[in-house]
Amino acid sequence: MAELTDKDIDAAIERGRLATVGEPRAASVRYDSRLDRVVVELTNGCTFAFPPRLAQGLEGASDEELSQVEVLGAGYGLHWEALDVDFTVPGLLAGIFGTGAYMARRAGRSTSPAKAEAARRNGSKGGRPRKSVSRM
């Protein structure tokens, strides 16, 4: 195992100080049941809110479960103990509301009337056209 020098420790402390100043951190968090939003007050004075139905693990949670949220890691994360759900504040601000697979499923999901009608028309024609295979 490598030895840590005073210089290494000082550099790590400085990186932490810069991260605290430059990265978004949560000062407080609460669930507003009237708005159906998780509201995050950031240390820079900004407020960020999102509907829990967007977030993996929070979709079916009750108001009581959602209200049991706490700030972790000097404001870097949010945690719901009873639901065993965690999110990073920078991730939420970047629109990351779950794992890559979860986000991909949500992105592909659409329930618009136009999409449903197009699917019905396509189905009545025998489904999606097959791609032609060119042979050489």
Side-chain angles (χ1 to χ4, degrees):
M1 187 170 199
E3 282 290 317
L4 288 178
T5 65
D6 287 342
K7 183 178 176 182
D8 294 331
I9 293 170
D10 290 342
I13 290 170
E14 180 62 13
R15 285 192 307 274
R17 187 190 69 73
L18 291 173
T20 300
V21 172
E23 292 179 356
R25 302 290 175 127
S28 65
V29 62
R30 64 186 166 79
Y31 173 66
D32 186 326
S33 60
R34 188 177 60 79
L35 298 174
D36 188 31
R37 296 288 187 271
V38 175
V39 181
V40 184
E41 301 289 337
L42 302 175
T43 56
N44 65 3
C46 293
T47 301
F48 171 70
F50 65 93
R53 71 178 179 282
L54 292 181
Q56 185 175 11
L58 301 182
E59 313 98 311
S62 69
D63 287 356
E64 176 63 29
E65 290 170 322
L66 291 169
S67 69
Q68 301 300 314
V69 58
E70 59 184 331
V71 175
L72 292 182
Y76 187 75
L78 305 181
H79 176 68
W80 285 263
E81 179 71 30
L83 299 170
D84 192 26
V85 173
D86 297 284
F87 289 98
T88 66
V89 172
L92 289 169
L93 290 171
I96 300 170
F97 295 101
T99 63
Y102 174 82
M103 296 297 292
R105 282 192 307 274
R106 284 198 58 82
R109 186 181 301 167
S110 177
T111 57
S112 73
K115 184 172 182 180
E117 177 59 29
R120 280 192 291 279
R121 281 194 317 268
N122 195 34
S124 69
K125 295 177 185 177
R128 183 173 298 205
R130 302 220 184 265
K131 292 183 180 181
S132 62
V133 177
S134 54
R135 297 176 193 222
M136 297 189 166

